[in-house]
Amino acid sequence: MKHPLPSADTPMASLWSAMGATLKRDLLLAFRRRQDLFNPLLFFVIVVSLFPLGVSPEKTFLQTAGAGVVWVAALLATLLSLDGLFRADFEDGALEQMVLAPQPLYFLVLAKVFAHWLVTGIPLIVLSPVLGIMMHLDGDTLPILMLTLLIGTPVLSLIGAIGAALTVGLRVGGVLISLLVLPLYIPVLIFGTGTVSAALSGLPVTGYLAILGAMLALALTLSPFAAAAALRISFSN
Amino acid sequence: MSGALLQAKNLFCERDDRILFEHLDFELNAGDIVQIEGANGAGKTTLLRILAGLSQAYEGRLLWKSQPLEENRTDYFSNLLYLGHKPGVKSVLSPLENLVSWMGIRRAPDLQAILDALRKVGLYGYEEVPCHSLSAGQNRRVALARLFLSTEAVWILDEAFTAIDLQGVANLEALMVERAKAGGAIILTTHHEFGLYQHLRKVTLGRRVSRESRLAQGVLL
């Protein structure tokens, strides 16, 4: 059967250009609503800076607790920003168009998560040394802290995407995301803070970093897949 | 010739213990315009979402070019344009940016084609204005500009004419008829009286057993 449609043989966008278009679009959207980006970032700074005031400003205490506090705050700040990952697009119908795109949803989700990490994860990493200094972390451990966040925050965004995708169809998703996602965040938190503690005690950190890297590889391959399936389920209702 | 693009066989859908439709069979051929009719809440949108592959909440079979749809998702989606209730237009982006990002996922964005499409839907001069400062009808027109950019064979349009003025509706009808004549196929729901077209068929929902009334060629609807 012939299809004399206008330019029906237009080549489909390649995977890369489709991912690029999604990434560009999400970054543009984030730029237009940049005040929303400050919310998790401000939360991150406030939590860490209240800690010395609320618990103890002693140097020895802050040094041991520092990495943990920064990591927990970064984790919660990421959690705070997750609900927006798919919700706005779901509500105005843009996500429908994405789900119905002829490209594998896996890669479009990956592009969205990457954009999310660029606008939430990267600022957290950039701010972390300042907060680390406030927690009396020394010059040798600060790069380690940043490195763990550099490997760890993408994992947080990737795992969070599954929760965000599962709850996007629900009226009140925010609380449920935390419950779904937190258990999966715990290993990342343990190895993230463990790396910094090891560095503080002068122990080798490569083993910890390798495990964090393995988590990143696992999350990178599996979680967009799970999030894409979760999105299809969310649309099914 | 089994040239049907999309076939639905024995579709059944139930929602909140209410049967929306059962034993629903129909096929969509190149050149068809099928209007889904029914009262509010009869299941028109649900049916369109099922046909678009968005919703899995059905029993029965859907075939795309005689193959099960689930196994040919990519081919189906590259031949499908779905416009739902929600226009899928980002309010903080301009019409131009909206269409560029929409098109970029499907094929290489053609800026000139997009500007032409925006002109055709009457948004000339509004290309760079953020969509939140446009009216509801203009936002709908941004979504509809996709029809002018479409190379997809199948269109599924859910209440596409909402908030569009009379002249706009007439233009879209002309586009759809032209499209069907070129070998496209369209499924739509609308509460507008649709103008005469020989291939227009109606599927009526809202009875216990849904009935497809196939209208003879040339009958005034």
Side-chain angles (χ1 to χ4, degrees):
Chain A
M1 189 169 55
K2 66 178 182 358
H3 277 290
L5 292 177
S7 59
D9 52 8
T10 322
M12 238 169 60
S14 75
L15 212 51
W16 284 113
S17 59
M19 281 178 79
T22 310
L23 182 66
K24 219 167 106 183
R25 166 187 172 280
D26 274 30
L27 290 179
L28 188 62
L29 281 171
F31 176 71
R32 293 280 159 84
R33 284 189 303 226
R34 49 195 173 277
Q35 55 277 26
D36 291 0
L37 298 179
F38 286 109
N39 203 11
L41 213 55
L42 205 65
F43 176 85
F44 179 57
V45 175
I46 290 174
V47 168
V48 177
S49 51
L50 284 184
F51 221 78
L53 299 175
V55 187
S56 157
E58 273 177 62
K59 186 177 174 181
T60 46
F61 168 75
L62 286 180
Q63 241 174 3
T64 43
V69 172
V70 172
W71 251 96
V72 168
L75 187 150
L76 292 176
T78 309
L79 209 54
L80 203 65
S81 65
L82 279 179
D83 199 38
L85 183 55
F86 296 119
R87 185 165 298 276
D89 282 346
F90 182 81
E91 277 166 4
D92 64 22
L95 201 58
E96 268 174 5
Q97 296 295 332
M98 201 169 283
V99 169
L100 294 179
Q103 309 290 347
L105 194 51
Y106 177 101
F107 292 100
L108 300 183
V109 168
L110 193 61
K112 275 189 86 67
V113 174
F114 185 54
H116 175 261
W117 178 71
L118 284 180
V119 297
T120 59
I122 291 279
L124 292 180
I125 297 167
V126 170
L127 270 179
S128 64
V130 182
L131 297 173
I133 290 168
M134 208 163 72
M135 304 302 273
H136 294 289
L137 292 178
D138 56 47
D140 294 334
T141 34
L142 279 178
I144 301 289
L145 175 69
M146 285 182 79
L147 190 61
T148 58
L149 285 172
L150 186 68
I151 307 173
T153 47
V155 184
L156 300 182
S157 289
L158 282 162
I159 295 174
I162 306 173
L166 274 172
T167 55
V168 75
L170 308 174
R171 289 285 163 272
V172 278
V175 185
L176 210 53
I177 289 189
S178 318
L179 289 175
L180 284 170
V181 155
L182 263 182
L184 295 168
Y185 274 6
I186 289 180
V188 190
L189 177 68
I190 290 174
F191 282 97
T193 50
T195 316
V196 187
S197 307
L200 271 174
S201 338
L203 297 168
V205 293
T206 43
Y208 285 95
L209 288 176
I211 289 179
L212 273 179
M215 284 178 187
L216 177 60
L218 200 67
L220 209 54
T221 44
L222 292 183
S223 79
F225 191 67
L231 280 181
R232 292 203 194 280
I233 293 169
S234 290
F235 274 109
S236 224
N237 298 312
Chain B
M1 181 183 79
S2 107
L5 288 171
L6 187 64
Q7 284 168 291
K9 294 203 167 158
N10 204 11
L11 277 194
F12 167 87
C13 178
E14 184 188 52
R15 219 163 184 180
D16 306 324
D17 296 329
R18 207 161 51 84
I19 293 172
L20 289 176
F21 41 83
E22 55 183 347
H23 309 304
L24 179 68
D25 291 283
F26 79 93
E27 56 178 57
L28 186 71
N29 296 297
D32 278 350
I33 300 182
V34 177
Q35 183 181 358
I36 312 287
E37 285 186 321
N40 295 128
K44 301 188 291 293
T45 294
T46 308
L47 177 60
L48 290 193
R49 289 174 66 86
I50 288 170
L51 293 179
L54 270 178
S55 174
Q56 312 293 324
Y58 67 93
E59 287 167 35
R61 292 206 302 152
L62 283 178
L63 302 178
W64 166 247
K65 290 178 180 166
S66 310
Q67 305 286 320
L69 195 140
E70 309 87 70
E71 293 163 24
N72 291 284
R73 230 175 238 285
T74 312
D75 185 48
Y76 181 47
F77 285 170
S78 57
N79 282 294
L80 168 74
L81 179 68
Y82 170 82
L83 289 187
H85 270 274
K86 304 168 187 166
V89 172
K90 303 302 287 183
S91 59
V92 290
L93 299 184
S94 70
L96 188 62
E97 288 162 343
N98 263 302
L99 292 176
V100 167
S101 64
W102 172 80
M103 204 173 178
I105 296 179
R106 303 185 148 250
R107 50 193 170 269
D110 178 349
L111 210 60
Q112 195 50 50
I114 290 173
L115 289 173
D116 283 347
L118 283 172
R119 191 174 44 74
K120 281 180 195 153
V121 293
L123 288 173
Y124 180 77
Y126 292 97
E127 294 92 344
E128 307 277 358
V129 180
C131 286
H132 58 73
S133 51
L134 298 180
S135 74
Q138 285 175 317
N139 268 300
R140 178 56 69 167
R141 279 164 185 266
V142 177
L144 288 169
R146 292 175 192 150
L147 299 181
F148 287 95
L149 294 168
S150 169
T151 56
E152 289 83 0
V154 176
W155 290 355
I156 297 183
L157 312 175
D158 193 359
E159 301 291 350
F161 299 150
T162 313
I164 299 293
D165 58 34
L166 286 174
Q167 184 57 45
V169 172
N171 290 346
L172 285 167
E173 278 185 13
L175 174 71
M176 294 198 314
V177 169
E178 180 193 315
R179 188 66 180 191
K181 280 182 178 151
I186 301 166
I187 310 174
L188 75 157
T189 62
T190 177
H191 292 292
H192 282 266
E193 275 305 315
F194 195 63
L196 172 71
Y197 178 61
Q198 58 174 359
H199 287 294
L200 180 68
R201 289 189 286 138
K202 294 192 176 189
V203 174
T204 309
L205 299 178
R207 296 154 205 217
R208 279 285 294 176
V209 177
S210 300
R211 175 179 65 87
E212 179 189 350
S213 55
R214 202 180 276 256
L215 288 143
Q217 285 196 350
V219 173
L220 195 71
L221 298 168

